[in-house]
Amino acid sequence: QVQLVESGGGLVQSGGSLRLSCAASGSIFSINAMGWFRQAPGKQRELVARITDGGSTYYADSVKGRFTISRDNAKNTVYLQMNSLKPEDTAVYYCNAGVAAGGSFLLAFNWGQGTQVTVSS
């Protein structure tokens, strides 16, 4: 049973930075990508950033140039460096892993508890 544990969230002022971490415990097979998602109150969960085993990245338009995803394959850990944060980045941030192919990202695991990011104006 794989568990995903997110950490690093908090309260930050607009323009500030946070670094999120997600550690996957347990055996991970047949996946080639890890990603960060977020869900703001009253909104659907959305993909923020994704990184493949080979290092290819995808970013949502809303975070391009401000967020950077990275991973440590040996530790099954993915990071999200968030700079120039805006109030609209306020959300619960989740990570997950799965298979990325073309425009799809098929998730393999249950969601963790997420980590709250709150950006004040």
Side-chain angles (χ1 to χ4, degrees):
Q1 183 82 11
V2 173
Q3 283 191 316
L4 302 168
V5 180
E6 302 94 343
S7 62
L11 172 64
V12 64
Q13 288 188 331
S14 181
S17 298
L18 285 173
R19 187 184 189 225
L20 307 183
S21 299
C22 171
S25 62
S27 299
I28 297 180
F29 299 103
S30 301
I31 68 163
N32 69 350
M34 298 184 76
W36 283 97
F37 300 75
R38 67 186 181 188
Q39 187 167 20
K43 295 187 176 181
Q44 287 189 331
R45 191 162 359 210
E46 62 174 350
L47 175 63
V48 173
R50 182 188 70 202
I51 185 167
T52 67
D53 286 350
S56 296
T57 56
Y58 160 87
Y59 296 96
D61 288 343
S62 58
V63 306
K64 279 181 183 176
R66 300 188 297 121
F67 290 11
T68 302
I69 189 170
S70 61
R71 65 186 289 179
D72 184 332
N73 291 334
K75 296 181 179 179
N76 283 339
T77 300
V78 63
Y79 306 96
L80 187 68
Q81 177 66 43
M82 305 186 295
N83 298 327
S84 301
L85 283 161
K86 304 175 181 180
E88 50 264 44
D89 294 318
T90 295
V92 179
Y93 284 70
Y94 302 87
C95 71
N96 213 312
V99 177
S104 67
F105 187 15
L106 301 178
L107 303 180
F109 306 113
N110 294 327
W111 296 103
Q113 291 187 327
T115 185
Q116 175 71 48
V117 171
T118 303
V119 184
S120 62
S121 57

